[in-house]
Structures are given as structure tokens and as C-alpha cells.
Amino acid sequence: MNSHAPILELESVTRVHGAGARAVRALGPVSLTVAPGELVAIMGPSGAGKSTLLALAGALDEPSEGRVRVAGVDLATQSRAQLAALRRRAVGYVFQDLNLLPGLTAAENVALPLELDGLGLARAREEAAAALERVRLGTLAQRFPDELSGGEQQRVAIARAFVGPRKLLLADEPTGALDSVSGEMCMRLLRAQCDAGRSAVLVTHDATHAAWADRVLYLRDGRFVDAGPDASSPAVLRAGRSA
Amino acid sequence: MSVRNSLLAILAAQPTHGYGLKARFEQSTSGAWPLNIGQVYTTLARLERDGLVEPEPVHDEGPRQTWRITDEGRRQLGEWFASPVADDPPPRDELAIKVLLAVAADRHDVTAILDRQRAATVERLQDLTRQKMRADPERELPWLLLLDALILKANAELEWLALCEARLSQRGAP
Amino acid sequence: MRRLSALRALLRVELRDALRNRARSWLVVSLVALGMAAMVGGGALFRTARATPHERCASVLGEASLRVRTYDATTREPFERLLPPGARVAAFSERAALLRAGSREASTALWSFERGALDAGGLAQGMLRVLEGRAPRDAGEIALSRSALEALGVERGAAVDLDGRSHAIVGVVALPEQLASSIALVAFAPEQETRLWLVHAPLDAQARLADDLHAAGHSVQRRSELGESDGFEQLVTFVLGGFAFFEVALVIGAVFAVGLRRRQREIGLVGANGATAGDVVGALWLATLVLAALGVLLGTLLGAGCAFALGPWLDAWNGRWNGAVELSGAHIAGGAALGLASALLATVLPALAAARLPIVVALSGRRPVATASRAWLALGAALLGAGGLWTALGLRAGEFAAAASVLGGSIAAVLGLGACSPWLLGVLSRCASRLPLAWRLAARDAARFRARNGPVVTAVLAALSVSIALASLAGSVDELVAAQAREVSVGADRELVGIAIALSAFTGLIVVLIATALATTESSADARVLEAVGATPVVLRTVAGARAGYLALLGALLAAPAGLYPSWGLVELADAKLAFHTPWRVLAAFALGLPLLAFLSAWFAAGSASQRPRPR
């Protein structure tokens, strides 16, 4: 796969909960393409379908219609085991809080997807240490989550989302429980990771954090809002990032 | 009003001539509000008339007039720093007026107005954030603080737009 | 390879969790350990105290294959002529005799054995044991049992008169199965005539020899006629042990259900990082296995320790020479297997439920929609029906099939009622709106956590139903004094029945309290809310008490039919001579006393334990 191929593609994706008269459309149809190295922020009022979109992108949920491709792989063609493998190797999640297993150290938390994938203990530890170094937490690797501040916990979660071969981070309000300085620190690190070639989709209600993204998309009633007549693609508020 | 007090604040640190005042003001506000030299001299003239500054006796070394603050000037400056900034009545805000009038006129495209405005504000926010990304937190602290202030102002505008949208959709709902 | 590595990583998570939640882990370990200890210790004591077939045979005919009582007393040579070549023979005698020491007398059974017969390898080995000193060798020597020594007021080293001659007491002896009997042992005179013989003949010659001797007018006891299968004792311990572990499995199941519910989000996170459901279940199982293995180990040590500690008192208790405490490999192996299996079984449903939960739901922390209770109701009804049918059909079949059908039907009834309990909890919570606050909360909470409370109610009702069945049977037996052997073996000893009833009621109480403690930790948030809106400590205590009392009440009420049912079945089985007895007092004690006890225990416990989760 060449390095410019999209890491994530959503093609006319719809998610409907329930059936018949009580069916509720939670999302869609929406389309979204995320290129390598791109940081995309999704904003919108609550209930607009932001989290649903993220769950679909990460193979945690299945679309009612449409196609989701991660790293070129069509999720609909994958077995449960293959989807689990995809979650180990390609996609990392960061949630608002409680991202870490309290029984594992920071390093072990970061190494978890690699170990689940069968990597040897030594190699997994090495990769985890490198990933923690990238979020400037090398010195806290042996701490347990409850010995870390909220901001540090989120940074560990970011490190885990990008550990080893993982190239796509999906974050649902990752800064929601943080004070503004810690939140900004997280965004800075996320931005740096994307500038290094990895990709992230960020759901947030905080515009100051969304502003770190290359693109900010606005979701309303399950659809992206068209920003205006001059927008080249739906809801692209500002394409490309300044070099 | 704020230019007046700003010049007093600079003069309180040390006596300065007109161009020096302009340079120092722009430096400490990171060039966010450019000042023209004419405005500096008009303001100085008014300050002198009110007895808040006075010209220093002319020395040999230069032709330019240097100004210094009077005791009354220091007193007024102290009052300015001590009193909180209150926007009362609120400053006229073009965006707010535009939206309020659109709602009053019951225009069908209020949501579109909000969307366009949001797109523009987000773009400004992204721009400010990029500048912040490049700023050096050690050497450019005032600049960084100013960016923070502008970012939060833009953010407040976005929050207000979101609230407008929510209230409009509530009005539409039964 | 991937699987192994994933298991290792997740096992680390599970074991750390077990270490972080020590109270819960110890609960699981000690539950398994207690079951194991009861099985190993009780089994060993039972086995030691009960005469094994070999011990029973040895008390009658030593190591010999025949015990012969000849028509006339003879010496050795004429008797030996009756035997085929290769047969070994030992003469012995037993007669009543009066011993004197000073002014005191004692009537004893006076035994004597040919020289060497009592020694190791001798034919009489095991008929009579020398406890102290030695066996008499010469005509002037004698050995007495303790009871004879006490009756005569003498000790070893003194002398007693027998048939007008003085004998020196050289040892203390006893009949192994009758320690209290008054006996004496003297040396066997070389040409003494006797009617009693022990014969060891080759196996193929035994039957023929016995027939010949019998035809000649001598009476013969054969070893093979005394022999009895050892299976019953094993069966009893395994059935009781199996039931104990069934209880253990129910409680552990409840513990795990709570633990996993609390860690639902963690399991969602693991899933989001690519663990498969198989990985998660595997790791949960392995971690449980580690805890259960620890419990098995501790339980074995505890059981063996108790057995050895109690061993010395055993002889005084049952009046026989029990010998060294005999640990049973079968009990240890069986107990270990049952302990591990019950822990694993207990984990299956909660683990599967946790691993199967969609990751999005698990992460959201929402409770999955509780549609399951209807399915459980159907299962419960099916179990009840199947159990009833089994018993009904089994009662017409042979004796063993009938007993099995009563046991099987009872277990089906307990499980069936248990399976219905989530549904029942749901129904009751809907009727609770007029109850006082504490009881309303208890009913609603019990229904909210019915997935966990189902096993709890089942465990309580299983424990209590045993008591009720025992009480009912004992009552029936009491009403009919001339009961048959089988029923006597079930309920003859009133004292034992009382202990059993108390024990199972205690088990029920413990189960309720464990469940309540878990419920209290899980609803600590509720307690904080209550506190915040101004609930007094008394109200908080009452809420905790009501939670315990409610579950105990429900378990006790369900236990009544579940306990009376097997009793009724056994009474039916007993050839219609027994009248069915309803143990009203026990039922009342359970329905009123146990809930009250549970209420009070929880009420007081709520004050001592902090409601807040403890910081790490």
C-alpha cells in the first residue's frame, strides 16, 4: 500500500438503531476520507452522531449502509477475529477518561495491543518505551495509572494508540476531563504525531482543541454541515495545513 | 481611552519621546494594534493639557522632545490599573447585531448565516492556533498570552453561535 | 503463539486485579479452600473412624482366610490333619474369666494366641492389639485392657490373680473395634486344647476346605463372606462434597458476576485494543484457576491439619482403635477436581456474558438491556417440570434409580427455582412502590442486579433446602420409631441432624452476607447520594439491613418447597410406612429468623465498614 493512500475512508455510511417504526437514524449518510498525516476534528451538538461515527471507523460498530475502509481494508469483508486483529494493529482509541487498565503500568498499558498481537515481551516493551518517549513520558513508564495525573493518563493513551504499527488514532473527547493547559499539551502531542505521518480523528466539543486539526468538520443531525458555496468538499472549513 | 492609559504606563517606566512611545506600545502588545505616530502626538497633547505629562527640559544631545509623567498622571494610571475593565454598555458587536436582526426579521437563512460565521471563526481559530504552535513560550510570552486571549474570544463566539443554533432549533420544535 | 502471548498479557491484567481486590480474591480462595478442607479433612476423619473392610475382617480372623470353631476341643496335630497341604494354622482361645487384685474383681474375656500369631506376619495379626508393654510369653504373665486395669485398680507391672495363680501384668491390650471391652491376654500353653482356629489356605482350596469342615460338623467363617464394598463411604463424601462445591460455585459465580460488572469498561478497553472474546474468557478462566488452585492447596493443608489435630481424640469418640489418620488420595484428587471445576463453572456465564458484550456498550458503561430474565424463567420452569417428571418416573423404578431420581429431581428443583428467581425479583420490585423506603430500595436494587442475585438466591435456597429436607425426614422418622435401616441412616442421630440444620442455615446466612457486602460496595454511589440528600446513618444502616433481609427472606421462602420436595420423595420411597412431616418450626425459624439475623448482621456491619471505595 502506498503511503499516500487514505488511512480511513467512510463511503455514504449510515447507522440506524432499531427497526421499523421505531428506527432512529443516528448517523448518515456521511462520507469522510482521512489521509496519512492528517488530523481531522469533528464537532457538533450532542446527539449529532459524532461518537457513532468514531465507533464505525474503529470497527466497534457496523454501519447499516455504506462502506468503511481502514488502511484499504473493507471492514464488511472481515471476520470478528480479523476485526480484532485490525484493532490490535491499525486503530487505537482514546476516550475521555479511564483509558488505562488500572492493573497495568503505563508501559504495560502501551504494550498491551502488541502483546495481544503475539509480539514477544521484550520487543513489546521496547516499542512501548519508544511510544512513551514520543509523548515525553519516558520517565513515568513504570507508574500505575492512579499514580499519574489526568493529562499524563491521556498521553499514555495517545502513546498506546500509536504504538507499533498503529497509524490511526480515534479520539472521543480526549481532553474533555482535562484542564486547559493539560488539554493543550495533549493536542500539541497529537499534532506532533500527525506531523510525523500518523493520522487522527478527533471528536470534541471544544473548538480551541479542534483548531489544532487540519480540518474541522461540523456534524449536525447525522450529517456534515456544508460550510458555504466556496467549500470544495462538504464541510471542509479549511483544507490542508500550512507547511 | 486605552491608548491614553497605555502611553501613561510606558512613560511611568521611563521618560520617552514620541517614536519611542509608538515602538514600545507595539512591542508590548506584539503588534496586534498598530499605532500611527499622529495619534501618539495628539494623545500626548491632550495628556499635557490635562496635566498628566510634561515635556522634559531640552538637552543638548538630541532634537527630539522627551516626555515624562506627572504626579497627577501617576495617580490616574494607578486608578486605571486598579479598576476592573467593564464593558457597560456592551461594545457594538456586528455579528450579534447581524444575527439578532436576522432573527427579528424571521429570515429563513439564519442557520446558514450561523454556519458561515462558524466556518469563518473556526478558520480564524485555526490560524491563531497555528501561530501559537510556532510561538516560543520562553521568549514570546506576551505574544502567547495575547494569542490565548484572542483564541478564547473566538471560542466564546463559537459557543454563542452553538447556543443560538440550539435555541433556534428548540423554537422550531413543538 | 499469538494466543499464548495474548493470554499472558491478559492474565497479568487479571492477576493484578485479583491482587488489587484482595478481599474478593480471598473470598474465592477461602470458599474453595473450605470446601476442599471439609472434603479432605472430613473424608480422612470419616475414613479413619470407620472400620475399613480389612480392619473389620482383621478384628474377626486376623490375616487368615478362615476362622474355624471345631466341634470338640483338640490339640494342634489332629486339627492339622483336616487341612490340605500348604495350609497354615494358628490356634487361639477365648473364654470368660474372673480376675482378682486384692479385694477387687473384674470379669474379662480371656484370650490367648499361639506364639507368634499376633506378630506381624502372623495369622491373628489385627485381632487384638498390644498398646503398651508386650504380649505375655510365659505362664505367669498377663496383659489387660485399660478397662480391666481400671476395674481392678492396678497398673502395668503389678500382679493379678487368675484361677488362683498370680500373673504379672506385662502389657496393655485392646480389641481394635471395641476399645472399651474388658479383656485379658495370656500365653498359649504348648499342648493346650482349643476349639478356635485360624486357617490360611490357598485361594483355590478355600471353598473346598470350608465345605469339608462344615460337613464334618465344625463351624466356619470365611473372610470373603465378611468382605463389603468400600464404595458407600466414598459415595457419601462425594455427594456431600459435590453439594458443598455446588454451593461454592453458586457463590463464586455471584462474586464474579459482580466483579466483572464493575470491570465492564476495562473489558471493553481490552476489546477495543484487539483482544478477542476467546482471549478474554481464557484469561478469566486461567486467573480463576490460579485462585482455585490456591484454594485447593490451602484447603488440603487445612483439612489434613485438622484431621491430624483431631486424630488423637477419635479413639475416645468412637471406642475403636482407629490407628493413624488415613488421608485419602481419592478425596484429595476428587476434591481438587471438584474445586477447580466448580470455580471454572462459576466463571463461565459471567465471563461469557462479559466477553460477548458489544464493545461499544461495554465502553459506555451502560447495563445491557435485561431481557434475559424471561429466558431464565422459561429455563427454570423447564427444570422444575423435568425434575418433577424424573422423580415421578423414578419412584416407580428400582430402589437405586428411585434414590437417584429423588436426588436428581431435588437438584433440578433447586436450580429451577433459582433460575426463576431473577424473574421473581423483577415482579416483586414492581410491587414494591408502597413499601417503606429502605425495603423499596432493597427490592429495586435486588431487581436491578438480578443477574448477580439469581445465583445468590439459588445458593441460599440450596443451603436452606438441605436443612428443611433433613428436618422433615427426621420428623418423619421420629413419628415412626420402627423405621427402616435406610431412613435410620439418614436421620437416626437427632444431634447430628440438629448440627446439620444449623450448619446449612449458617451457610445460607454467610451467602446472604457476602452478597450484601458486594451489593454495598456496588451501590456505594447510591449511599453517597442518600447521604447527600440528608439520610441519617440509621437510614443507611437500615437500607443495608433491608438488602440482606430481603434476599434471605426470598431464599428462605423458596427453600420451603425445594426442601420439602426431596423429603416427600424419600418418604414415598420408604414403602409407605413413613408419614410425611412438615417441620413447621424449622420453616418458621428460616422464614422469620434468618431474614432477621441477616438484617441485623448487615445493619451492624454497615456501621463498621466505610461506604466509600478504599483508595489504592
Side-chain angles (χ1 to χ4, degrees):
Chain A
M1 196 182 70
N2 77 63
S3 60
H4 299 292
I7 183 83
L8 174 69
E9 290 167 277
L10 272 69
E11 225 176 85
S12 313
V13 167
T14 309
R15 180 69 173 98
V16 178
H17 293 296
R22 281 193 291 177
V24 178
R25 203 189 56 180
L27 180 72
V30 292
S31 297
L32 170 67
T33 304
V34 178
E38 200 175 19
L39 173 56
V40 177
I42 297 174
M43 298 189 65
S46 49
K50 304 187 295 284
S51 297
T52 305
L53 185 142
L54 221 51
L56 291 172
L60 294 183
D61 196 6
E62 284 172 31
S64 308
E65 277 170 51
R67 230 162 250 294
V68 180
R69 273 191 288 271
V70 174
V73 177
D74 185 347
L75 298 189
T77 65
Q78 302 286 296
S79 69
R80 283 169 71 105
Q82 284 170 318
L83 288 178
L86 191 88
R87 287 197 288 271
R88 293 195 294 272
R89 290 171 204 157
V91 194
Y93 279 90
V94 180
F95 303 98
Q96 180 166 350
D97 52 2
L98 305 173
N99 277 295
L100 306 180
L101 296 178
L104 297 183
T105 61
E108 286 168 341
N109 261 296
V110 175
L112 183 67
L114 300 177
E115 279 197 70
L116 287 175
D117 204 36
L119 201 67
L121 203 56
R123 280 281 312 282
R125 291 267 157 89
E126 235 170 77
E127 296 263 15
L132 278 172
E133 207 55 60
R134 287 200 290 270
V135 295
R136 292 182 235 157
L137 280 181
T139 53
L140 303 183
Q142 296 314 315
R143 296 258 186 110
F144 281 93
D146 50 9
E147 299 162 343
L148 296 172
S149 72
E152 287 162 348
Q153 290 186 27
Q154 292 305 80
R155 279 151 70 188
V156 174
I158 291 174
R160 182 177 64 197
F162 283 137
V163 75
R166 289 170 147 200
K167 289 278 182 279
L168 175 62
L169 176 146
L170 303 172
D172 197 345
E173 302 281 6
T175 56
L178 302 182
D179 62 82
S180 38
V181 174
S182 310
E184 192 188 306
M185 180 69 178
C186 280
M187 291 315 302
R188 230 175 242 285
L189 289 167
L190 205 51
R191 180 71 256 174
Q193 295 287 308
C194 291
D195 289 343
R198 302 179 181 88
S199 313
V201 180
L202 164 77
V203 161
T204 181
H205 65 264
D206 187 332
T208 61
H209 293 155
W212 289 81
D214 300 305
R215 280 190 284 158
V216 180
L217 309 183
Y218 196 81
L219 203 61
R220 184 194 297 140
D221 298 333
R223 289 167 200 250
F224 288 127
V225 172
D226 195 335
D230 54 341
S232 51
S233 68
V236 175
L237 298 181
R238 191 182 190 288
R241 70 175 185 281
S242 57
Chain B
M1 185 52 77
S2 60
V3 174
R4 222 170 110 94
N5 289 311
S6 304
L7 296 191
L8 274 180
I10 295 165
L11 288 177
Q14 65 178 100
T16 315
H17 50 72
Y19 271 101
L21 280 170
K22 170 180 154 66
R24 270 169 197 270
F25 177 83
E26 287 180 351
Q27 188 188 341
S28 54
T29 56
S30 306
W33 296 282
L35 215 54
N36 72 50
I37 191 68
Q39 200 176 353
V40 172
Y41 284 122
T42 338
T43 311
L44 277 174
R46 282 196 203 127
L47 286 169
E48 188 184 14
R49 181 198 65 200
D50 297 344
L52 304 179
V53 302
E54 56 191 13
E56 277 201 322
V58 179
H59 294 290
D60 308 334
E61 71 262 35
R64 285 190 284 194
Q65 176 63 57
T66 309
W67 297 84
R68 69 177 176 205
I69 193 164
T70 64
D71 289 347
E72 177 60 14
R74 279 186 202 282
R75 200 188 57 74
Q76 282 210 0
L77 181 66
E79 269 175 20
W80 181 63
F81 273 124
S83 57
V85 177
D87 283 346
D88 192 22
R92 272 196 293 275
D93 178 334
E94 192 191 344
L95 169 62
I97 291 166
K98 195 196 275 184
V99 172
L100 296 182
L101 289 176
V103 171
D106 215 6
R107 285 175 66 101
H108 65 280
D109 60 349
V110 180
T111 312
I113 295 174
L114 295 180
D115 282 345
R116 270 195 297 276
Q117 183 60 42
R118 184 177 48 240
T121 309
V122 165
E123 201 170 326
R124 193 166 80 240
L125 201 56
Q126 281 178 293
D127 203 52
L128 290 166
T129 305
R130 260 186 289 278
Q131 298 192 49
K132 184 160 84 170
M133 238 183 281
R134 288 192 289 265
D136 180 346
E138 295 298 322
R139 285 179 300 148
E140 298 172 285
L141 188 59
W143 171 224
L144 213 50
L145 290 176
L146 176 65
L147 283 174
D148 282 337
L150 296 176
I151 283 173
L152 289 178
K153 277 223 170 76
N155 189 43
E157 197 173 294
L158 285 172
E159 299 255 333
W160 183 70
L161 288 170
L163 207 54
C164 289
E165 186 185 319
R167 291 210 199 282
L168 283 171
S169 74
Q170 266 170 19
R171 188 188 63 168
Chain C
M1 183 57 217
R2 183 201 82 71
R3 199 64 209 271
L4 274 182
S5 170
L7 268 184
R8 186 190 54 207
L10 292 180
L11 186 60
R12 193 186 309 132
V13 174
E14 293 306 318
L15 291 182
R16 294 257 174 87
D17 180 70
L19 279 178
R20 288 164 62 91
N21 296 286
R22 289 215 178 84
R24 181 158 56 80
S25 309
W26 273 118
L27 183 64
V28 172
V29 169
S30 49
L31 281 171
V32 174
L34 282 181
M36 189 70 193
M39 190 127 176
V40 170
L45 287 177
F46 190 67
R47 193 179 148 94
T48 311
R50 219 175 120 88
T52 61
H54 182 261
E55 286 170 335
R56 224 169 15 248
C57 287
S59 73
V60 175
L61 41 64
E63 295 294 315
S65 43
L66 303 175
R67 172 170 161 150
V68 184
R69 186 180 189 89
T70 50
Y71 190 72
D72 289 315
T74 78
T75 53
R76 191 182 172 98
E77 278 80 38
F79 182 73
E80 272 185 331
R81 280 198 291 278
L82 300 170
L83 304 177
R88 287 165 62 205
V89 67
F92 71 103
S93 71
E94 185 202 356
R95 66 177 172 94
L98 196 66
L99 301 183
R100 280 203 185 82
S103 61
R104 301 172 80 162
E105 297 183 339
S107 59
T108 60
L110 183 70
W111 294 76
S112 60
F113 291 86
E114 264 191 334
R115 174 167 293 237
L118 282 174
D119 298 344
L123 286 185
Q125 188 193 349
M127 286 180 73
L128 188 147
R129 284 185 183 271
V130 179
L131 302 179
E132 289 173 28
R134 59 176 174 82
R137 291 189 204 119
D138 299 317
E141 293 177 342
I142 194 168
L144 299 181
S145 68
R146 287 220 172 83
S147 53
L149 286 171
E150 271 169 35
L152 293 167
V154 293
E155 287 187 13
R156 184 150 66 94
V160 291
D161 283 347
L162 168 64
D163 301 338
R165 281 184 58 190
S166 172
H167 287 69
I169 305 173
V170 297
V172 179
V173 292
L175 293 176
E177 297 300 323
Q178 293 158 295
L179 286 183
S181 64
S182 171
I183 64 159
L185 176 68
V186 292
F188 196 84
E191 285 303 308
Q192 190 182 327
E193 293 189 336
T194 183
R195 293 174 63 193
L196 294 171
W197 307 89
L198 295 174
V199 179
H200 190 80
L203 197 63
D204 50 351
Q206 281 176 17
R208 176 89 188 279
L209 177 60
D211 288 346
D212 288 353
L213 288 170
H214 198 72
H218 311 298
S219 66
V220 179
Q221 277 178 291
R222 288 183 61 189
R223 184 180 204 91
S224 52
E225 287 163 358
L226 291 171
E228 191 187 295
S229 144
D230 209 11
F232 180 69
E233 133 199 359
Q234 302 279 7
L235 196 68
V236 168
T237 16
F238 274 112
V239 168
L240 289 181
F243 195 80
F245 278 117
F246 170 62
E247 283 276 288
V248 167
L250 287 171
V251 182
I252 295 182
V255 173
F256 269 98
V258 178
L260 287 179
R261 170 70 188 85
R262 215 177 42 219
R263 295 174 55 215
Q264 179 179 317
R265 206 190 136 81
E266 261 185 68
I267 289 166
L269 272 182
V270 168
N273 277 292
T276 63
D279 293 341
V280 172
V281 173
L284 284 171
W285 265 22
L286 271 183
T288 315
L289 213 55
V290 171
L291 291 183
L294 192 62
V296 163
L297 189 70
L298 289 180
T300 308
L301 293 178
L302 184 69
C306 283
F308 282 112
L310 292 176
W313 278 281
L314 215 50
D315 289 5
W317 179 67
N318 67 353
R320 68 177 287 267
W321 186 85
N322 294 298
V325 170
E326 305 159 48
L327 282 183
S328 152
H331 285 150
I332 296 178
L338 279 175
L340 297 182
S342 61
L344 287 187
L345 275 178
T347 346
V348 176
L349 281 182
L352 272 182
R356 286 273 174 80
L357 203 61
I359 296 172
V360 180
V361 177
L363 285 170
S364 71
R366 268 178 288 135
R367 192 176 305 283
V369 189
T371 51
S373 66
R374 236 164 241 289
W376 282 108
L377 175 64
L379 177 69
L383 271 172
L384 280 175
L389 197 66
W390 189 9
T391 314
L393 291 177
L395 281 178
R396 292 159 198 228
E399 194 168 307
F400 183 75
S405 76
V406 170
L407 183 69
S410 317
I411 291 182
V414 166
L415 287 177
L417 283 173
C420 292
S421 63
W423 169 80
L424 199 60
L425 287 170
V427 170
L428 287 177
S429 98
R430 259 168 266 142
C431 309
S433 52
R434 298 191 171 205
L435 290 175
L437 173 73
W439 293 93
R440 198 180 335 137
L441 267 179
R444 297 267 166 77
D445 275 359
R448 243 170 11 113
F449 303 121
R450 57 188 147 217
R452 173 230 317 162
N453 284 327
V456 168
V457 171
T458 314
V460 175
L461 101 89
L464 298 188
S465 62
V466 174
S467 309
I468 292 173
L470 279 174
S472 167
L473 274 178
S476 307
V477 173
D478 275 1
E479 282 170 18
L480 188 81
V481 179
Q484 279 139 4
R486 183 173 50 239
E487 278 71 40
V488 170
S489 76
V490 172
D493 195 337
R494 298 291 295 153
E495 201 175 314
L496 273 181
V497 169
I499 293 175
I501 292 175
L503 261 183
S504 60
F506 182 68
T507 313
L509 182 64
I510 293 291
V511 171
V512 168
L513 290 183
I514 288 170
T516 318
L518 293 172
T520 307
T521 41
E522 196 171 57
S523 44
S524 58
D526 296 10
R528 243 169 289 143
V529 172
L530 279 175
E531 252 182 329
V533 298
T536 58
V538 173
V539 171
L540 292 177
R541 279 167 183 265
T542 311
V543 168
R547 276 202 196 103
Y550 180 73
L551 285 182
L553 182 68
L554 198 64
L557 291 182
L558 286 176
L564 295 176
Y565 175 75
S567 155
W568 169 82
L570 285 174
V571 167
E572 286 293 302
L573 206 59
D575 305 333
K577 290 230 173 133
L578 282 174
F580 177 68
H581 170 83
T582 311
W584 289 113
R585 275 195 309 180
V586 173
L587 289 181
F590 282 174
L592 299 175
L594 190 75
L596 188 66
L597 211 55
F599 180 90
L600 290 177
S601 310
W603 202 88
F604 284 110
S608 58
S610 169
Q611 300 272 341
R612 281 165 192 79
R614 107 200 122 84
R616 205 182 95 104

